[in-house]
Amino acid sequence: MPSDDKTTVAKTKTSLSLPAPRRPTVALAVTGSVAAYKAAEIARLLVKAGVRVIPLMTRSAESFLGAATLSGLTGEPVHRTMWDAPGELHVSLAREIDALLIAPATADVLARLAAGRADCLVTALALVCDKPLLVAPAMHPSMWAHPATRRNVATLTADGRVEWLGPVDGQVASGDEGMGRLLEPALIADAALFALTPRDLSGLRVVVTAGPTVEDLDPVRFLSNRSSGQMGFAVARRAAARGAEVTLISGPVHLPTPPRVRRVDVRSAIAMRGALWQALGPDLSLADALVMSAAVSDHRPATPHATKQKKRPGAPTPPIELTDNPDLLAEIGHARAARRPVLVGFAVETDDDDALLAYARGKLASKRVDLVVANHASDSFGKGDNRAFFVSAEGHDAQGTLTKDELADRVLDRARALWARGA
Ligand code: CTP
């Protein structure tokens, strides 16, 4: 019968399908603070980053935040007590998760953690769980400063199990100011992501350039390009999250510095050159990999003016004369004796794929680099994702359309592999 046939096909498909790759999993425990509403934003950011978030709420947390908000954002039921599921929920959760994040954490939950209590699902889970335990306190500054809380924080710190995320100095719910405000949700989410990320680049020193360079004509006008810096910042962010020691040399962009990244801001190609050589060292021994994603201006005004040039009818007189900027990547490629550091360049073009690959192969040779990431300006500039090709001495491979973070991870995977085999 047709309907039975359909059922059979459906069943066969199900039994043959492979299990989905396991997502990193965090238990987000919310305790009873006015700042509990910020846990919704933390959950949202983690889910957006691909994390499975299992929400837990203490009884008092529910006075501040609706469970429906957390379960709606995470797609998971909210666990409130140890009796929410058959078996020993705290034990099964401890096995299931990769990290426990308590945010916000009240003075009360700190006291119970410090005493080793297991009087609710959150403290029982904290006791049984051997995964990273991240705690983001939030309370009135007087409670944070109280000797009892100081004692509890000292005990937990001495035990060495807790990674503290804040609190920070600022205004709290009552309007009072002081130490006790919850750390910004984006920073808490980032710390949780960091705790979940394998440190496979630990020990690697990576220098990244990003953004445009700006070449001043006078104090008001300049030559530049449309680079937003997103790709280079993604490389720096992912490298640091994976444990690398990262220096990010950036042209003028409107992007926040990724956590654990040393940032050097520059304006012109000449300033970027100075910062690069300082970061790499005169013998290039201070870095293991250079990812050159900056869109360096090829030219600069030959004579920048100290004062604003007044408009005159017709073409500027005297005409704006340009001079060549040094090719920073080629300069480093030619100075490199052994194939250290690993050199990754970018090629941005506006032609078709064949021309893009041909230009990229040309850059591989002329700049003496190990890998060229080739993409079209229309696929990359100012966009959240990118369609790129990797071009190396071995040939080229299409990476498809990826988010800039995903592409950054692939660039770093290739750089690490090249580094491991001495390029
Ligand atoms: N680059 C550099 N210094 C320059 C220009 C470019 O280090 N003065 C680097 C870029 O950071 C990038 C790579 O070289 O990694 C490719 O640059 P691209 O923009 O393609 O410029 P050109 O090599 O000058 O090629 P084209 O002739 O296409 O402009």
Side-chain angles (χ1 to χ4, degrees), residues 209 211 213 269 272 276 290-299 324-332 344-349 359 363 366-367 369 371-373 381:
T209 65
T213 65
M272 185 169 277
L276 255 177
L290 167 64
V291 181
M292 193 77 198
S293 54
V296 185
S297 303
D298 287 326
H299 309 286
D324 288 347
N325 268 330
D327 187 316
L328 311 185
L329 187 54
E331 191 173 80
I332 291 159
V344 180
F346 278 70
V348 182
E349 306 291 351
Y359 282 129
K363 279 167 200 176
S366 66
K367 302 189 191 221
V369 300
L371 179 70
V372 173
V373 181
F381 272 36

Side-chain angles (χ1 to χ4, degrees), residues 195-245:
L196 294 172
T197 308
R199 305 284 188 278
D200 63 341
L201 299 183
S202 159
L204 208 70
R205 299 161 304 167
V206 179
V207 175
V208 185
T209 65
T213 65
V214 172
E215 312 296 335
D216 290 317
L217 284 153
D218 67 23
V220 177
R221 303 181 184 93
F222 56 77
L223 287 178
S224 191
N225 58 66
R226 290 167 190 249
S227 170
S228 65
Q230 285 185 60
M231 189 63 231
F233 274 63
V235 173
R237 178 170 51 250
R238 292 302 306 153
R242 292 169 62 175
E245 193 187 297

Side-chain angles (χ1 to χ4, degrees), residues 250-307:
S250 177
V253 293
H254 301 282
L255 294 171
T257 309
R260 297 167 288 278
V261 164
R262 189 175 82 88
R263 174 170 175 175
V264 182
D265 284 315
V266 297
R267 187 166 172 84
S268 65
I270 297 296
M272 185 169 277
R273 182 199 220 175
L276 255 177
W277 280 100
Q278 187 148 15
L280 300 172
D283 57 355
L284 304 178
S285 66
L286 300 182
D288 302 308
L290 167 64
V291 181
M292 193 77 198
S293 54
V296 185
S297 303
D298 287 326
H299 309 286
R300 65 179 186 279
T303 41
H305 297 278
T307 55

Side-chain angles (χ1 to χ4, degrees), residues 388-402:
F389 297 87
F390 283 175
V391 180
S392 68
E394 281 98 57
H396 73 264
D397 40 326
Q399 301 300 311
T401 300
L402 302 168

